[in-house]
Amino acid sequence: MNLNRQIYIFSFLLCCTIYSINAQNNRLWAFTLEDGLPQSQVYDMVQDEMGYLWLGTQGGGLCRFNGEEFKIWNESDGLQSNYIHALNFVNDSLFIGTKRGLSIKTKNKFINLEGPRINKIYRFENKTYLATNVGIYQYTKELGLSKVKLNPKINTSIINDIAFDGKLFWVATSKGLWKLNAIKKSASIKERHSAHHFTAAVFYRNKIFAAAREEGILVLNTNARSYGNKWLSQPLRVNNISIHNLNELWFSTDNEGITIIDGDTRLHKKKINRKNGLTVSHVRKSIVDQQSNIWIATSGGGFYKYFQNNFMHYDQNTGLKGNRVYAIHTARDGIWASNSETGLIKIDSTGIHHIPQDDRLAEVKIRTITSDNSGNIWAGTEGKGILFKQRKQIDTIIVDSTIIKRQKKDSIILKFDTIPKTVYTNHILDSDDGLPSDWIRTILVDKSLIWAASYSSGIIRFKYDPARKRLLSSKKFNRKSGIKDLQIRHMTKGPKGKIWYATQNGHLGYIKNNRVKHLGNILNQKTAISTILFHDDKIFIGTAGRGIWWSDLDKIVIKKLKGRKKPYSDNIYQMIFDDQGNLWAGSERGVDKIELNQFNDIVDIYHYGRNDGFLGIETHLNAVTKDQEGNLWFGAIYGLTEYKPTVTTKTTIKPKLFFEDVEVAYRSVDSINLNSWANSDHVLRLKPNQTELSFSYKTIDLDHPNDIQYRFRLNNSEWSPWSSESKQNLAGLAYGSHYFSAQSRNYRWEESDLTTFRFFIDSPIYEKAWFQLAVLAAILLLVGGYALSYIRRVKQKNKVEQERLQMQNHLLSLEQKALRLQMNPHFIFNVLNGIKAMGTSNPLKMNNTINTFATLLRETLYNSRKDYITLDQEIQTLKHYIEIEKLMASKPFTYEISIDTDFDPEEILIPPMLIQPFVENAVRHGILKGSRDGELKVLFHTTEDFLHCTVKDNGQGIFQSQKAKTNTDHQSMALTVTRERLESISGEDSLQIEEIMNNGKTVAGTQIAFKIPLETDY
């Protein structure tokens, strides 16, 4: 074999080895004390139905992991011991095997049962068995822990594992491998198959794989006539056997990490140990979670997440000079990267190569890398100008010491071979050579021209003559050339030969044919443009804080890149398109793969962070490239990451939402299993005063714990907006039936099924229908009884009042009749005296007077028996009375009686003898005592409610007449009685008496006016 071939084979093997190491390392992510793990020795792991990862440690107690944070329980919380060896879920309780017995965690309470050290916990046919240091125990709720008495050797052995093949139980003990047909005292088969110290056992496809500590793996056929005794010599010192990826047996050992064997062919596939990422060789167990990730528990190294992805990560532990990668570039001979402040590295098919650093660039950051058509490397630095690495190839002579032919005695013919070797000569270009600045932001090659953008001094275009070490055909572009903002952030070549640049203050422009076209602040806001990218005649603009924008190149109209989803960050540090047309955007949170449609709308976004294998986390400005195979390379603060799009990515699973807690009046409801009640007909019944509830719910995604969003609603109300809040407090709830619904979605926006919890708040007794009806009936009875009593009292009172009023009315009637009787004698006395006086002087007049008087007496006697007479009767009586007065008067007078009403006088009713006293007073004390010819007027008129009467005379006046009265004058009594009658009929102030004045100086007579209620006979 010639030397060339040996070298190439060696290089290929080295390459495969490096890639294998890197690929395996890429799949391991350690969780240690620095991440919050309470103890580095993790002896068991189990995942619950919700997705939480539970870890049992040696000395740190129990902890629960949600993908990012740990919650810890230890002896101070009620745990029996901080030294945990086994975990298993039984229904809704976590069984915890410790060195001092069993702890059972139900919600936040622990039940502790003392016993021997528990190594494993099993659940067979609804029975719980414990593998302990002194035989097998069984747990029942009634009896607690009780030892299963089997063979004495089993009873005194350390039980390490139990496997069930569907018929028989295989018990791995410190004194051999036993087979039992039942785990009970009366088991009919109790045989020891092998006498070695067995530490683990598993059943896989009709075979039992049992690990003997120092002998290897015993393989037994369970469906054949003979079990057989086939041994695998490796691995040894096995702690646990798990089945992953359908047919892989993962053997966890305490000295060599994990050995993976094909379960069908029983061939060794690979190992996971210190050489490819584990920090310790002692592995306790491996499990697979609901998202197909494999978790590895170690003793002393914490636990690891082992996952398959499309990323391969390089950092200081796997060959880089440092972790920070500021710039990367795909050249003809590999990937070139700027590594921290230690210079350049190159990655090719043979691995990672450290490029010797020029002493002049010690501790200098290289921010940009490119190459020209000759393979020369151009690198821009911070403060040291441009590093130009001129590429040359030379032949190296190699001597092959193989003896070809012996021509003479003691002579040896040697064979020589040559191998081409690439070497680089360093040139440094700085401001002394003509650069506008030694701080170089971006370098790009356009055919034979080199373009360099400085931080704040503009752009230069030049050619370089390495022989003469000088710049040729250089041209500078600055403010004088039209670049209004010199703080360049990025520069790249676009279509049609245009050199585009973007600035710190959001300006955009391009250079073509030595002319600057400065487009200005295209976003109309002071936002830095970090990167620009061209694809399909469109420009894409990544900003620092404002996301991604784009425009057609025909007409620059900037539009925000939008869609149903948004990028995980608006700080865009780098952008690149892959061969499938997807836009990749790097930020401080990782990278996003953005699927666009033909209209540049976002169809979907796939985010890759630390949990997805992108271990670099925060990307660096424009440190991104694509190699000849279409793989993407990203530079970040924690290393260099390669992405291979051709590898199938892990599919996501639909999220599930679970209720973690329901609090009523700030106290947890511990009496029910919340998740068995959710989406069921169960209804939580609450008291009337329990109107304050809190619901805590959770979706666990171990890959993306911070990207879960939730929404909720009460009854049929509108859904709340999506948010990261997973607890809702409800206060002042109405009485009656309610249901609380919640939903979650993962980072892919896949939504969980609706999860609903029903509850009923009982109304207080005063709001119950039967109580309200009873109260209403009682109120009605009380009101009815009171009403009946009231009616009786009112009736009795009305009866008494009626009797009183009747008596009063009778007395009033008697009083009025008495008053009339008081008036009649006085009137009769006056008339008789007048007749007596006329007896001797004028017998004829006396005769007429007696006739008229007789008629008046007859009418008076007739009317006195009535309470009311008609107005017409009253007027006739008045006329007879006035005629008598005229016959008896010492001087003549005239009188007038007028009626102004729409009613017939025969229809109007008035009390009898009510007006006569006023007429009598007007005649006797007014007209007869006056000096003028007498005039008497009696006027009646009606209003809507009253009958008005006015008596006028032209006598001396009532006040003058009252002065001349004697104490024996009976007329005053008549007026007083009549006034009382009016007040009883019409109320006080119903009578008005006043003198009639001429021009306000002399008395012209008297006017008496009164009103009484208008009464009619219909």
Side-chain angles (χ1 to χ4, degrees):
M1 181 184 295
N2 63 33
L3 189 58
N4 264 348
R5 188 175 180 184
Q6 291 177 350
I7 293 174
Y8 286 140
I9 291 174
F10 173 79
S11 298
F12 174 78
L13 293 176
L14 177 63
C15 170
C16 293
T17 301
I18 293 175
Y19 266 65
S20 176
I21 291 172
N22 287 332
Q24 291 176 3
N25 181 68
N26 181 51
R27 294 190 179 118
L28 288 174
W29 177 14
F31 294 90
T32 63
L33 300 177
E34 296 178 355
D35 301 294
L37 185 66
Q39 223 282 340
S40 62
Q41 297 183 73
V42 180
Y43 266 44
D44 201 2
M45 292 187 299
V46 65
Q47 188 177 30
D48 64 16
E49 183 184 11
M50 292 180 63
Y52 283 113
L53 198 64
W54 295 82
L55 311 168
T57 70
Q58 289 292 292
L62 174 72
C63 63
R64 187 185 70 183
F65 183 58
N66 68 352
E68 183 184 33
E69 298 175 338
F70 293 90
K71 186 173 182 180
I72 301 168
W73 291 266
N74 49 39
E75 293 177 4
S76 62
D77 300 303
L79 184 65
Q80 182 160 253
S81 172
N82 289 336
Y83 291 84
I84 298 173
H85 297 269
L87 298 171
N88 202 353
F89 273 93
V90 179
N91 298 324
D92 61 337
S93 298
L94 176 62
F95 279 50
I96 306 164
T98 74
K99 74 174 184 178
R100 293 207 298 261
L102 179 67
S103 286
I104 302 175
K105 181 180 183 298
T106 303
K107 294 186 181 296
N108 288 318
K109 296 180 180 179
F110 289 93
I111 299 174
N112 297 318
L113 302 170
E114 291 188 5
R117 192 183 95 172
I118 299 173
N119 300 315
K120 295 286 179 67
I121 302 172
Y122 303 93
R123 186 76 171 166
F124 296 119
E125 298 178 349
N126 297 323
K127 295 180 181 179
T128 303
Y129 298 101
L130 311 175
T132 76
N133 272 10
V134 284
I136 298 176
Y137 278 71
Q138 183 177 357
Y139 167 81
T140 59
K141 191 174 182 180
E142 295 78 14
L143 301 176
L145 294 181
S146 59
K147 189 168 185 177
V148 181
K149 295 182 179 180
L150 301 166
N151 184 286
K153 291 186 178 181
I154 298 177
N155 297 338
T156 57
S157 297
I158 298 174
I159 310 300
N160 292 311
D161 209 348
I162 303 174
F164 181 61
D165 64 9
K167 295 180 180 179
L168 298 176
F169 292 93
W170 298 84
V171 183
T173 75
S174 60
K175 298 179 181 179
L177 178 66
W178 294 78
K179 57 181 179 180
L180 312 171
N181 67 333
I183 303 180
K184 58 183 180 180
K185 183 177 181 180
S186 59
S188 59
I189 300 177
K190 301 177 185 176
E191 298 179 5
R192 184 168 64 179
H193 190 280
S194 179
H196 301 294
H197 183 176
F198 285 88
T199 56
V202 69
F203 176 69
Y204 171 75
R205 294 188 181 180
N206 299 318
K207 293 180 176 61
I208 289 291
F209 290 80
R213 184 172 181 80
E214 301 296 341
E215 284 73 25
I217 310 299
L218 174 62
V219 183
L220 303 174
N221 290 317
T222 61
N223 63 343
R225 292 183 179 179
S226 173
Y227 291 114
N229 279 326
K230 295 183 180 179
W231 285 86
L232 302 177
S233 59
Q234 294 292 332
L236 303 178
R237 304 177 66 87
V238 173
N239 293 316
N240 180 265
I241 309 173
S242 301
I243 303 172
H244 303 319
N245 301 326
L246 298 179
N247 65 340
E248 292 181 350
L249 299 180
W250 287 49
F251 295 88
S252 302
T253 71
D254 62 9
N255 63 342
E256 292 186 353
I258 293 177
T259 298
I260 302 173
I261 294 177
D262 189 302
D264 299 321
T265 64
R266 279 166 271 174
L267 297 177
H268 285 249
K269 295 184 70 174
K270 54 188 170 184
K271 287 189 175 183
I272 302 175
N273 50 30
R274 283 177 177 267
K275 294 180 179 179
N276 44 35
L278 292 181
T279 57
V280 295
S281 297
H282 190 163
V283 176
R284 299 299 305 180
K285 188 179 183 179
S286 65
I287 66 169
V288 61
D289 67 14
Q290 298 168 359
Q291 295 167 276
S292 301
N293 300 309
I294 295 175
W295 299 84
I296 302 171
T298 72
S299 178
F303 69 104
Y304 291 79
K305 178 182 180 183
Y306 180 91
F307 51 94
Q308 298 179 1
N309 57 71
N310 299 22
F311 294 96
M312 181 179 294
H313 188 66
Y314 302 85
D315 56 21
Q316 196 168 4
N317 294 326
T318 54
L320 299 187
K321 296 180 180 180
N323 282 335
R324 292 182 179 268
V325 176
Y326 298 119
I328 51 178
H329 171 69
T330 301
R332 64 166 61 175
D333 56 351
I335 302 297
W336 288 71
S338 164
N339 195 198
S340 295
E341 288 79 33
T342 58
L344 300 173
I345 61 168
K346 186 182 74 170
I347 302 176
D348 56 20
S349 60
T350 61
I352 300 175
H353 306 277
H354 292 180
I355 307 301
Q357 177 76 311
D358 193 296
D359 293 338
R360 293 170 291 179
L361 301 180
E363 301 299 322
V364 174
K365 294 179 182 178
I366 295 177
R367 285 293 188 179
T368 178
I369 306 172
T370 189
S371 62
D372 56 27
N373 293 332
S374 300
N376 302 314
I377 300 299
W378 297 82
T381 71
E382 286 189 347
K384 293 294 184 177
I386 296 174
L387 169 64
F388 170 57
K389 297 183 74 66
Q390 186 179 9
R391 185 174 186 269
K392 295 180 181 179
Q393 276 195 333
I394 60 175
D395 292 333
T396 301
I397 299 175
I398 303 296
V399 177
D400 189 348
S401 59
T402 303
I403 299 175
I404 304 300
K405 185 179 181 180
R406 183 183 297 271
Q407 294 180 345
K408 294 182 181 180
K409 189 177 181 179
D410 298 330
S411 66
I412 298 176
I413 299 176
L414 298 179
K415 182 179 179 182
F416 295 89
D417 204 347
T418 60
I419 296 177
K421 180 181 179 181
T422 301
V423 296
Y424 290 92
T425 302
N426 292 341
H427 302 264
I428 295 179
L429 290 65
D430 54 23
S431 55
D432 293 337
D433 299 308
L435 296 182
S437 171
D438 291 334
W439 293 75
I440 306 300
R441 174 74 75 180
T442 306
I443 299 178
L444 63 88
V445 175
D446 181 20
K447 298 178 182 178
S448 62
L449 297 175
I450 307 299
W451 293 77
S454 65
Y455 277 64
S456 58
S457 300
I459 299 171
I460 184 173
R461 186 206 65 200
F462 63 91
K463 294 181 180 180
Y464 182 67
D465 184 354
R468 300 166 61 185
K469 297 183 180 181
R470 59 182 294 182
L471 304 183
L472 303 176
S473 304
S474 65
K475 182 173 178 58
K476 297 179 181 179
F477 300 89
N478 47 34
R479 281 196 176 90
K480 292 182 180 180
S481 307
I483 301 178
K484 297 180 181 179
D485 183 10
L486 296 180
Q487 297 183 33
I488 308 296
R489 290 272 289 184
H490 189 218
M491 181 178 65
T492 187
K493 183 179 179 180
K496 300 179 181 180
K498 297 178 180 178
I499 305 299
W500 291 76
Y501 61 88
T503 74
Q504 176 70 29
N505 297 307
H507 289 238
L508 185 69
Y510 62 84
I511 303 172
K512 184 178 181 181
N513 298 330
N514 292 331
R515 292 187 178 182
V516 174
K517 177 66 175 180
H518 193 81
L519 302 178
N521 192 335
I522 56 171
L523 299 180
N524 295 320
Q525 49 192 335
K526 194 173 181 179
T527 300
I529 298 177
S530 301
T531 178
I532 49 180
L533 179 66
F534 296 93
H535 183 72
D536 292 342
D537 293 327
K538 294 178 177 62
I539 183 172
F540 292 83
I541 300 170
T543 67
R546 296 289 182 176
I548 302 174
W549 302 70
W550 70 279
S551 173
D552 290 315
L553 287 175
D554 296 338
K555 184 178 181 181
I556 302 296
V557 179
I558 304 298
K559 291 169 283 189
K560 185 78 176 285
L561 199 66
K562 295 181 179 180
R564 187 172 67 96
K565 295 182 180 180
K566 296 180 179 179
Y568 270 57
S569 173
D570 285 331
N571 293 315
I572 308 301
Y573 297 154
Q574 49 187 231
M575 293 190 301
I576 193 170
F577 275 92
D578 62 20
D579 290 344
Q580 289 74 37
N582 301 311
L583 174 62
W584 290 73
S587 67
E588 80 282 4
R589 298 184 62 184
V591 292
D592 293 335
K593 184 177 75 172
I594 305 172
E595 292 184 1
L596 303 174
N597 60 17
Q598 58 182 338
F599 305 107
N600 274 354
D601 296 323
I602 297 176
V603 176
D604 207 346
I605 294 179
Y606 297 84
H607 177 71
Y608 299 97
R610 186 178 181 185
N611 286 342
D612 307 288
F614 190 83
L615 305 183
I617 308 300
E618 182 174 348
T619 59
H620 272 305
L621 190 65
N622 292 307
V624 61
T625 188
K626 181 168 61 176
D627 62 23
Q628 288 88 347
E629 297 178 357
N631 301 326
L632 305 181
W633 296 75
F634 303 93
I637 64 174
Y638 294 117
L640 177 64
T641 299
E642 178 189 10
Y643 177 80
K644 296 183 178 182
T646 56
V647 180
T648 304
T649 58
K650 183 178 67 175
T651 58
T652 60
I653 62 172
K654 185 177 182 179
K656 296 180 181 179
L657 185 139
F658 297 88
F659 283 103
E660 284 195 316
D661 194 15
V662 175
E663 295 180 357
V664 178
Y666 307 105
R667 297 184 64 181
S668 296
V669 180
D670 294 329
S671 59
I672 63 173
N673 185 335
L674 295 177
N675 293 308
S676 65
W677 279 47
N679 294 332
S680 70
D681 295 330
H682 293 295
V683 178
L684 178 65
R685 296 193 171 273
L686 304 174
K687 298 178 181 179
N689 61 339
Q690 296 175 324
T691 59
E692 295 184 359
L693 276 77
S694 295
F695 291 91
S696 297
Y697 39 89
K698 198 75 173 177
T699 290
I700 301 301
D701 186 335
L702 295 176
D703 287 337
H704 303 90
N706 295 320
D707 297 325
I708 302 297
Q709 291 184 318
Y710 306 90
R711 65 176 181 174
F712 74 94
R713 70 176 179 183
L714 181 65
N715 302 327
N716 287 322
S717 61
E718 294 291 329
W719 282 104
S720 68
W722 289 103
S723 71
S724 59
E725 183 60 45
S726 61
K727 183 176 182 179
Q728 295 301 326
N729 300 316
L730 306 176
L733 293 173
Y735 306 118
S737 297
H738 300 279
Y739 60 91
F740 179 87
S741 301
Q743 195 174 25
S744 67
R745 68 182 183 188
N746 60 16
Y747 81 108
R748 297 285 304 117
W749 283 25
E750 293 174 297
E751 296 180 0
S752 70
D753 292 330
L754 201 64
T755 305
T756 300
F757 190 89
R758 300 181 182 276
F759 60 99
F760 178 84
I761 302 177
D762 197 8
S763 58
I765 189 171
Y766 59 81
E767 288 201 7
K768 294 183 180 294
W770 66 266
F771 180 82
Q772 292 176 344
L773 290 175
V775 170
L776 180 61
I779 291 173
L780 290 176
L781 288 174
L782 289 175
V783 171
Y786 178 79
L788 290 175
S789 175
Y790 178 76
I791 290 172
R792 288 197 194 96
R793 284 187 278 111
V794 169
K795 284 184 176 181
Q796 184 65 28
K797 183 177 180 181
N798 288 344
K799 184 178 180 181
V800 173
E801 183 68 16
Q802 186 178 9
E803 291 176 353
R804 187 186 68 79
L805 290 176
Q806 287 177 351
M807 180 62 70
Q808 184 179 0
N809 187 50
H810 181 65
L811 292 174
L812 181 61
S813 177
L814 293 175
E815 181 183 358
Q816 290 177 352
K817 290 179 180 180
L819 289 173
R820 289 199 294 271
L821 290 176
Q822 288 177 6
M823 292 187 293
N824 289 342
H826 179 67
F827 171 67
I828 294 170
F829 176 76
N830 288 338
V831 173
L832 290 177
N833 282 338
I835 293 174
K836 180 180 179 183
M838 290 186 290
T840 56
S841 60
N842 193 347
L844 180 60
K845 183 178 179 181
M846 180 186 68
N847 187 45
N848 292 334
T849 301
I850 290 173
N851 292 334
T852 304
F853 180 62
T855 302
L856 178 61
L857 284 177
R858 186 167 58 249
E859 292 175 348
T860 301
L861 291 172
Y862 176 77
N863 293 339
S864 65
R865 292 183 177 89
K866 298 180 179 180
D867 292 330
Y868 288 95
I869 61 174
T870 66
L871 179 60
D872 181 66
Q873 290 175 328
E874 180 70 9
I875 291 173
Q876 292 300 325
T877 302
L878 282 176
K879 286 181 179 181
H880 289 135
Y881 169 75
I882 294 172
E883 288 295 335
I884 293 174
E885 288 289 359
K886 286 182 68 177
L887 292 172
M888 294 172 43
S890 57
K891 69 175 185 178
F893 66 90
T894 62
Y895 73 92
E896 177 187 354
I897 299 176
S898 64
I899 302 174
D900 182 12
T901 180
D902 294 333
F903 296 97
D904 192 320
E906 293 184 354
E907 298 174 349
I908 301 174
L909 301 177
I910 66 171
M913 297 297 291
L914 186 64
I915 302 172
Q916 185 270 338
F918 299 116
V919 174
E920 180 181 359
N921 189 69
V923 173
R924 292 186 176 273
H925 298 284
I927 293 174
L928 296 182
K929 293 183 180 182
S931 58
R932 295 180 292 273
D933 293 338
E935 292 182 359
L936 175 65
K937 293 182 179 180
V938 180
L939 308 176
F940 295 96
H941 74 276
T942 60
T943 59
E944 185 176 354
D945 298 318
F946 293 96
L947 170 66
H948 297 266
C949 179
T950 304
V951 179
K952 293 183 179 181
D953 68 74
N954 62 345
Q956 64 177 348
I958 189 171
F959 301 122
Q960 184 64 32
S961 174
Q962 289 176 349
K963 292 179 182 179
K965 281 185 180 181
T966 62
N967 292 332
T968 59
D969 193 346
H970 298 283
Q971 188 64 25
S972 61
M973 179 60 69
L975 286 175
T976 301
V977 172
T978 304
R979 184 188 297 272
E980 290 177 0
R981 290 184 69 194
L982 284 173
E983 288 179 353
S984 67
I985 294 172
S986 303
E988 295 183 0
D989 300 327
S990 60
L991 176 64
Q992 296 181 356
I993 302 175
E994 60 182 4
E995 291 183 338
I996 301 172
M997 306 297 292
N998 285 332
N999 299 323
K1001 297 180 180 180
T1002 59
V1003 176
T1006 301
Q1007 175 178 297
I1008 298 175
F1010 63 88
K1011 63 180 181 179
I1012 61 174
L1014 179 63
E1015 298 284 345
T1016 61
D1017 62 353
Y1018 62 89

